[in-house]
Short mmCIF file of all heavy atoms in Angstrom, two decimals:
data_model
loop_
_atom_site.label_atom_id
_atom_site.label_comp_id
_atom_site.label_asym_id
_atom_site.label_seq_id
_atom_site.Cartn_x
_atom_site.Cartn_y
_atom_site.Cartn_z
N MET B 136 -8.26 32.50 39.50
CA MET B 136 -8.54 32.66 38.08
C MET B 136 -9.93 33.23 37.82
O MET B 136 -10.30 33.47 36.68
CB MET B 136 -8.39 31.32 37.35
CG MET B 136 -6.94 30.89 37.17
SD MET B 136 -6.02 32.01 36.11
CE MET B 136 -6.72 31.60 34.53
N SER B 137 -10.74 33.41 38.87
CA SER B 137 -12.07 33.96 38.59
C SER B 137 -12.31 35.30 39.28
O SER B 137 -13.42 35.74 39.44
CB SER B 137 -13.15 32.95 38.99
OG SER B 137 -12.90 32.51 40.30
N GLN B 138 -11.25 35.93 39.73
CA GLN B 138 -11.40 37.24 40.34
C GLN B 138 -11.06 38.34 39.35
O GLN B 138 -9.88 38.56 39.05
CB GLN B 138 -10.50 37.35 41.58
CG GLN B 138 -11.04 36.54 42.74
CD GLN B 138 -10.09 36.51 43.91
OE1 GLN B 138 -8.88 36.55 43.73
NE2 GLN B 138 -10.64 36.45 45.11
N TRP B 139 -12.08 38.94 38.84
CA TRP B 139 -11.82 40.03 37.88
C TRP B 139 -12.01 41.38 38.57
O TRP B 139 -12.80 41.52 39.48
CB TRP B 139 -12.76 39.93 36.68
CG TRP B 139 -12.12 39.14 35.58
CD1 TRP B 139 -12.21 37.81 35.39
CD2 TRP B 139 -11.29 39.65 34.55
NE1 TRP B 139 -11.48 37.44 34.30
CE2 TRP B 139 -10.90 38.55 33.76
CE3 TRP B 139 -10.82 40.93 34.21
CZ2 TRP B 139 -10.07 38.69 32.66
CZ3 TRP B 139 -10.01 41.06 33.12
CH2 TRP B 139 -9.63 39.93 32.35
N ALA B 140 -11.27 42.31 38.10
CA ALA B 140 -11.42 43.66 38.64
C ALA B 140 -12.75 44.25 38.17
O ALA B 140 -13.33 43.81 37.19
CB ALA B 140 -10.27 44.54 38.17
N GLU B 141 -13.20 45.24 38.89
CA GLU B 141 -14.41 45.93 38.47
C GLU B 141 -14.03 47.04 37.50
O GLU B 141 -13.01 47.71 37.69
CB GLU B 141 -15.11 46.53 39.68
CG GLU B 141 -15.66 45.45 40.59
CD GLU B 141 -16.90 45.95 41.32
OE1 GLU B 141 -16.79 47.00 41.96
OE2 GLU B 141 -17.95 45.29 41.22
N PRO B 142 -14.82 47.26 36.50
CA PRO B 142 -14.49 48.32 35.55
C PRO B 142 -14.70 49.70 36.17
O PRO B 142 -15.48 49.84 37.11
CB PRO B 142 -15.48 48.06 34.41
CG PRO B 142 -16.60 47.32 35.02
CD PRO B 142 -16.04 46.53 36.15
N ARG B 143 -14.00 50.64 35.61
CA ARG B 143 -14.02 51.96 36.22
C ARG B 143 -15.41 52.59 36.24
O ARG B 143 -15.73 53.39 37.11
CB ARG B 143 -13.03 52.89 35.55
CG ARG B 143 -13.43 53.36 34.16
CD ARG B 143 -12.68 54.62 33.78
NE ARG B 143 -11.23 54.44 33.71
CZ ARG B 143 -10.38 55.33 34.19
NH1 ARG B 143 -10.80 56.40 34.79
NH2 ARG B 143 -9.08 55.15 34.04
N THR B 144 -16.27 52.18 35.32
CA THR B 144 -17.58 52.82 35.26
C THR B 144 -18.45 52.50 36.46
O THR B 144 -19.34 53.26 36.80
CB THR B 144 -18.33 52.38 33.99
OG1 THR B 144 -18.38 50.97 33.96
CG2 THR B 144 -17.70 52.92 32.73
N VAL B 145 -18.22 51.36 37.10
CA VAL B 145 -19.10 50.99 38.20
C VAL B 145 -18.53 51.47 39.54
O VAL B 145 -19.13 51.24 40.59
CB VAL B 145 -19.35 49.47 38.26
CG1 VAL B 145 -19.97 49.00 36.97
CG2 VAL B 145 -18.07 48.72 38.57
N LEU B 146 -17.36 52.02 39.52
CA LEU B 146 -16.75 52.43 40.78
C LEU B 146 -17.54 53.60 41.36
O LEU B 146 -17.87 54.56 40.67
CB LEU B 146 -15.30 52.85 40.55
CG LEU B 146 -14.36 51.75 40.04
CD1 LEU B 146 -12.97 52.30 39.83
CD2 LEU B 146 -14.35 50.57 40.98
N THR B 147 -17.81 53.49 42.63
CA THR B 147 -18.50 54.59 43.32
C THR B 147 -17.49 55.65 43.69
O THR B 147 -16.28 55.44 43.57
CB THR B 147 -19.21 54.07 44.58
OG1 THR B 147 -18.28 53.29 45.30
CG2 THR B 147 -20.42 53.22 44.20
N GLU B 148 -17.96 56.69 44.19
CA GLU B 148 -17.10 57.83 44.50
C GLU B 148 -15.90 57.44 45.36
O GLU B 148 -14.77 57.82 45.09
CB GLU B 148 -17.90 58.89 45.29
CG GLU B 148 -19.22 59.25 44.67
CD GLU B 148 -19.08 60.26 43.57
OE1 GLU B 148 -18.68 61.38 43.86
OE2 GLU B 148 -19.36 59.89 42.40
N SER B 149 -16.18 56.57 46.36
CA SER B 149 -15.14 56.28 47.34
C SER B 149 -14.03 55.39 46.78
O SER B 149 -12.94 55.33 47.31
CB SER B 149 -15.75 55.60 48.55
OG SER B 149 -16.38 54.40 48.12
N LYS B 150 -14.34 54.67 45.72
CA LYS B 150 -13.33 53.74 45.20
C LYS B 150 -12.50 54.38 44.12
O LYS B 150 -12.97 55.23 43.36
CB LYS B 150 -14.04 52.50 44.63
CG LYS B 150 -14.69 51.64 45.69
CD LYS B 150 -15.29 50.42 45.02
CE LYS B 150 -16.24 49.70 45.96
NZ LYS B 150 -17.08 48.77 45.20
N GLU B 151 -11.31 53.85 44.04
CA GLU B 151 -10.41 54.35 43.00
C GLU B 151 -9.96 53.18 42.15
O GLU B 151 -9.95 52.04 42.59
CB GLU B 151 -9.17 55.00 43.63
CG GLU B 151 -9.38 56.40 44.10
CD GLU B 151 -8.18 56.88 44.87
OE1 GLU B 151 -7.07 56.38 44.55
OE2 GLU B 151 -8.35 57.71 45.76
N LEU B 152 -9.56 53.51 40.99
CA LEU B 152 -8.95 52.48 40.15
C LEU B 152 -7.62 52.09 40.77
O LEU B 152 -6.91 52.92 41.35
CB LEU B 152 -8.74 53.04 38.74
CG LEU B 152 -8.72 52.01 37.62
CD1 LEU B 152 -10.05 51.29 37.53
CD2 LEU B 152 -8.40 52.70 36.31
N ILE B 153 -7.28 50.84 40.66
CA ILE B 153 -6.04 50.36 41.26
C ILE B 153 -4.85 51.00 40.54
O ILE B 153 -4.79 51.03 39.31
CB ILE B 153 -5.96 48.82 41.15
CG1 ILE B 153 -7.12 48.22 41.95
CG2 ILE B 153 -4.64 48.30 41.64
CD1 ILE B 153 -7.51 46.85 41.51
N GLY B 154 -3.92 51.47 41.33
CA GLY B 154 -2.73 52.09 40.75
C GLY B 154 -1.65 51.08 40.47
O GLY B 154 -1.67 49.96 40.99
N PRO B 155 -0.68 51.42 39.64
CA PRO B 155 0.37 50.47 39.25
C PRO B 155 1.20 49.98 40.42
O PRO B 155 1.61 48.82 40.45
CB PRO B 155 1.22 51.27 38.26
CG PRO B 155 0.82 52.69 38.42
CD PRO B 155 -0.56 52.73 38.97
N PHE B 156 1.45 50.82 41.41
CA PHE B 156 2.34 50.39 42.49
C PHE B 156 1.64 49.42 43.41
O PHE B 156 2.20 48.38 43.78
CB PHE B 156 2.87 51.61 43.24
CG PHE B 156 3.74 52.45 42.36
CD1 PHE B 156 3.31 53.70 41.92
CD2 PHE B 156 4.97 51.96 41.94
CE1 PHE B 156 4.11 54.46 41.07
CE2 PHE B 156 5.76 52.72 41.10
CZ PHE B 156 5.33 53.97 40.66
N SER B 157 0.40 49.75 43.76
CA SER B 157 -0.30 48.79 44.61
C SER B 157 -0.51 47.49 43.85
O SER B 157 -0.47 46.39 44.41
CB SER B 157 -1.64 49.37 45.08
OG SER B 157 -2.56 49.40 44.00
N ALA B 158 -0.71 47.59 42.54
CA ALA B 158 -0.89 46.40 41.72
C ALA B 158 0.36 45.53 41.78
O ALA B 158 0.30 44.32 42.04
CB ALA B 158 -1.19 46.79 40.28
N LEU B 159 1.51 46.13 41.56
CA LEU B 159 2.76 45.35 41.54
C LEU B 159 3.05 44.72 42.89
O LEU B 159 3.44 43.55 42.96
CB LEU B 159 3.92 46.25 41.11
CG LEU B 159 4.03 46.46 39.61
CD1 LEU B 159 5.12 47.47 39.29
CD2 LEU B 159 4.31 45.14 38.91
N SER B 160 2.85 45.49 43.94
CA SER B 160 3.14 44.91 45.25
C SER B 160 2.15 43.79 45.57
O SER B 160 2.49 42.81 46.22
CB SER B 160 3.14 45.98 46.33
OG SER B 160 1.83 46.45 46.54
N HIS B 161 0.93 43.95 45.07
CA HIS B 161 -0.03 42.87 45.27
C HIS B 161 0.39 41.61 44.50
O HIS B 161 0.38 40.50 45.02
CB HIS B 161 -1.42 43.31 44.80
CG HIS B 161 -2.41 42.19 44.82
ND1 HIS B 161 -2.94 41.70 45.99
CD2 HIS B 161 -2.97 41.46 43.83
CE1 HIS B 161 -3.77 40.71 45.71
NE2 HIS B 161 -3.80 40.55 44.40
N ILE B 162 0.82 41.83 43.29
CA ILE B 162 1.20 40.69 42.45
C ILE B 162 2.42 39.98 43.00
O ILE B 162 2.47 38.75 43.06
CB ILE B 162 1.45 41.18 41.00
CG1 ILE B 162 0.13 41.60 40.36
CG2 ILE B 162 2.16 40.11 40.18
CD1 ILE B 162 0.30 42.37 39.08
N TRP B 163 3.38 40.76 43.42
CA TRP B 163 4.64 40.14 43.84
C TRP B 163 4.66 39.73 45.31
O TRP B 163 5.26 38.72 45.65
CB TRP B 163 5.82 41.07 43.55
CG TRP B 163 6.13 41.06 42.08
CD1 TRP B 163 5.81 42.01 41.18
CD2 TRP B 163 6.78 40.03 41.36
NE1 TRP B 163 6.21 41.65 39.93
CE2 TRP B 163 6.82 40.41 40.02
CE3 TRP B 163 7.34 38.79 41.72
CZ2 TRP B 163 7.38 39.64 39.03
CZ3 TRP B 163 7.91 38.03 40.75
CH2 TRP B 163 7.93 38.45 39.40
N PHE B 164 4.02 40.52 46.14
CA PHE B 164 4.15 40.24 47.57
C PHE B 164 2.82 39.93 48.22
O PHE B 164 2.75 39.68 49.41
CB PHE B 164 4.83 41.41 48.28
CG PHE B 164 6.11 41.81 47.60
CD1 PHE B 164 6.20 43.01 46.90
CD2 PHE B 164 7.22 40.96 47.63
CE1 PHE B 164 7.38 43.36 46.26
CE2 PHE B 164 8.38 41.32 46.98
CZ PHE B 164 8.47 42.51 46.29
N GLY B 165 1.78 39.92 47.47
CA GLY B 165 0.48 39.56 48.03
C GLY B 165 -0.11 40.63 48.94
O GLY B 165 -1.07 40.37 49.67
N THR B 166 0.48 41.83 48.96
CA THR B 166 -0.10 42.89 49.79
C THR B 166 -1.49 43.22 49.27
O THR B 166 -1.71 43.24 48.06
CB THR B 166 0.76 44.15 49.76
OG1 THR B 166 1.10 44.41 48.40
CG2 THR B 166 2.01 43.98 50.58
N PRO B 167 -2.43 43.47 50.16
CA PRO B 167 -3.78 43.76 49.72
C PRO B 167 -3.83 45.01 48.86
O PRO B 167 -3.03 45.93 49.05
CB PRO B 167 -4.56 43.96 51.03
CG PRO B 167 -3.67 43.51 52.12
CD PRO B 167 -2.27 43.52 51.63
N LEU B 168 -4.73 45.00 47.92
CA LEU B 168 -4.85 46.15 47.03
C LEU B 168 -5.39 47.32 47.82
O LEU B 168 -6.45 47.23 48.44
CB LEU B 168 -5.79 45.83 45.86
CG LEU B 168 -5.16 44.87 44.85
CD1 LEU B 168 -6.22 44.30 43.94
CD2 LEU B 168 -4.09 45.57 44.06
N THR B 169 -4.63 48.38 47.85
CA THR B 169 -4.99 49.49 48.72
C THR B 169 -6.25 50.19 48.23
O THR B 169 -6.40 50.46 47.05
CB THR B 169 -3.85 50.52 48.78
OG1 THR B 169 -3.43 50.76 47.45
CG2 THR B 169 -2.71 50.02 49.62
N GLY B 170 -7.08 50.42 49.19
CA GLY B 170 -8.21 51.32 48.97
C GLY B 170 -9.37 50.74 48.20
O GLY B 170 -10.50 51.15 48.40
N ALA B 171 -9.13 49.81 47.37
CA ALA B 171 -10.20 49.44 46.45
C ALA B 171 -10.40 47.95 46.37
O ALA B 171 -10.23 47.33 45.33
CB ALA B 171 -9.91 50.00 45.07
N LEU B 172 -10.68 47.36 47.50
CA LEU B 172 -10.86 45.92 47.52
C LEU B 172 -12.03 45.50 46.62
O LEU B 172 -11.94 44.52 45.88
CB LEU B 172 -11.12 45.44 48.94
CG LEU B 172 -10.87 43.95 49.17
CD1 LEU B 172 -9.42 43.60 48.91
CD2 LEU B 172 -11.30 43.54 50.56
N ASP B 173 -13.07 46.28 46.70
CA ASP B 173 -14.23 45.95 45.88
C ASP B 173 -13.90 45.98 44.41
O ASP B 173 -14.47 45.23 43.62
CB ASP B 173 -15.37 46.95 46.14
CG ASP B 173 -16.10 46.59 47.42
OD1 ASP B 173 -15.71 45.56 48.02
OD2 ASP B 173 -17.01 47.32 47.79
N ALA B 174 -13.01 46.87 44.10
CA ALA B 174 -12.68 47.02 42.68
C ALA B 174 -11.98 45.79 42.15
O ALA B 174 -11.82 45.62 40.96
CB ALA B 174 -11.79 48.23 42.48
N TRP B 175 -11.58 44.95 43.04
CA TRP B 175 -10.82 43.80 42.58
C TRP B 175 -11.68 42.54 42.44
O TRP B 175 -11.41 41.68 41.59
CB TRP B 175 -9.68 43.55 43.57
CG TRP B 175 -8.85 42.37 43.24
CD1 TRP B 175 -8.33 42.07 42.03
CD2 TRP B 175 -8.48 41.31 44.11
NE1 TRP B 175 -7.64 40.90 42.08
CE2 TRP B 175 -7.72 40.42 43.37
CE3 TRP B 175 -8.71 41.08 45.48
CZ2 TRP B 175 -7.18 39.27 43.92
CZ3 TRP B 175 -8.16 39.94 46.02
CH2 TRP B 175 -7.41 39.03 45.24
N THR B 176 -12.67 42.43 43.28
CA THR B 176 -13.38 41.17 43.33
C THR B 176 -14.69 41.17 42.58
O THR B 176 -15.56 40.35 42.83
CB THR B 176 -13.66 40.76 44.78
OG1 THR B 176 -14.36 41.85 45.40
CG2 THR B 176 -12.39 40.49 45.52
N GLY B 177 -14.85 42.06 41.70
CA GLY B 177 -16.10 42.17 40.99
C GLY B 177 -16.38 41.00 40.08
O GLY B 177 -15.48 40.29 39.64
N ALA B 178 -17.66 40.82 39.82
CA ALA B 178 -18.05 39.79 38.87
C ALA B 178 -18.04 40.38 37.46
O ALA B 178 -18.09 41.59 37.29
CB ALA B 178 -19.44 39.27 39.20
N THR B 179 -17.96 39.50 36.49
CA THR B 179 -18.02 39.97 35.11
C THR B 179 -19.48 39.97 34.65
O THR B 179 -20.33 39.33 35.28
CB THR B 179 -17.22 39.05 34.18
OG1 THR B 179 -17.89 37.80 34.11
CG2 THR B 179 -15.80 38.86 34.69
N PRO B 180 -19.78 40.66 33.59
CA PRO B 180 -21.15 40.66 33.09
C PRO B 180 -21.65 39.25 32.81
O PRO B 180 -22.82 38.93 33.05
CB PRO B 180 -21.05 41.48 31.81
CG PRO B 180 -19.87 42.36 32.00
CD PRO B 180 -18.92 41.58 32.85
#
Side-chain angles (χ1 to χ4, degrees):
Chain B
M136 286 296 288
S137 51
Q138 286 174 328
W139 267 91
E141 292 210 306
R143 72 160 63 222
T144 54
V145 302
L146 297 179
T147 49
E148 310 278 295
S149 60
K150 291 183 194 164
E151 279 172 29
L152 206 62
I153 297 156
F156 295 110
S157 73
L159 279 175
S160 69
H161 173 74
I162 290 167
W163 285 102
F164 309 109
T166 46
L168 287 165
T169 47
L172 199 62
D173 280 358
W175 178 48
T176 55
T179 68

